[in-house]
Amino acid sequence: QVQLVESGGGLVKPGGSLRLSCAASKFIFGDYYMTWIRQAPGTGLEWVSSISDSGNTIYYADSVKGRFTISRDNAKSSLYLQMNSLRAEDTAVYYCARNHGGGGLCPELWGLGTLVTVSS
Amino acid sequence: SYVLPQPPSVTVAPGQTARITCGGDNIGRESVHWYQQRPGQAPALVIYYDSDRPSGIPERFSGSSSGNTATLTISRVEAGDEADYYCQVWDSNSDHVIFGGGTKLTVL
């Protein structure tokens, strides 16, 4: 069925790097804006980054700008998040989401998430 | 930056109506989306563009937005509706996605 599956999470030391992936299936990946959202333990949702269908337009939350890089490979139906200079406060479940085709950004289809833990 | 205040919690008895609000400066001018997150699960979209329902979402879920308040209304509340609910907008001034802080709905 239509789904998103995240991978690449794990335990990393402060200052380290990690690359998350999101594999899309059963829809035309290249037709949609995509978004990463995270949720720290016991807290609410925090938007991280979004990328246009072509990859030409990218948005970042202030908290990750300059440290994280979003990218996509439409031929592989995959979304990525390169995370550098990781901090303890980046510890969270990271969700990949497909955005609704209408105006603005509305994450309509979510993956199950992958856990990133930043700790020494 | 744009802030979307939500009440931390709402409690309702089964069969009653729950109303969850989302504040914001002139939020009535924005498109508001609502997500349900059951314990241990990923969020799921329940209302988009203020009042539209994705396929598979019961008609008991409805949304409205005007002035400085958007509202998610859940009629005939069931035990399975117990979850955290988040509102969300796209802030075109900052090019940021904004989430409300979330409201925990408890069904007594």
Side-chain angles (χ1 to χ4, degrees), chain A residues 21-45:
Chain A
S21 299
C22 171
S25 55
K26 302 295 187 185
F27 66 93
I28 302 174
F29 181 75
D31 283 353
Y32 293 90
Y33 278 57
M34 298 295 294
T35 290
W36 287 100
I37 300 123
R38 68 185 181 184
Q39 186 171 33
T43 71
L45 302 174

Side-chain angles (χ1 to χ4, degrees), chain B residues 3-26:
Chain B
V3 178
L4 299 176
Q6 293 184 238
S9 63
V10 167
T11 301
V12 65
Q16 299 303 302
T17 297
R19 293 180 180 84
I20 298 172
T21 59
C22 175
D25 190 28
N26 287 315

Side-chain angles (χ1 to χ4, degrees), chain B residues 56-81:
Chain B
I57 300 301
E59 291 183 7
R60 301 184 296 105
F61 287 78
S62 63
S64 63
S65 182
S66 178
N68 294 322
T69 304
T71 303
L72 171 68
T73 301
I74 310 171
S75 305
R76 302 181 299 284
V77 167
E78 303 172 356
D81 298 331

Side-chain angles (χ1 to χ4, degrees), chain B residues 17-36:
Chain B
T17 297
R19 293 180 180 84
I20 298 172
T21 59
C22 175
D25 190 28
N26 287 315
I27 197 172
R29 297 184 183 179
E30 311 294 341
S31 291
V32 182
H33 317 293
W34 291 92
Y35 304 86
Q36 175 194 65

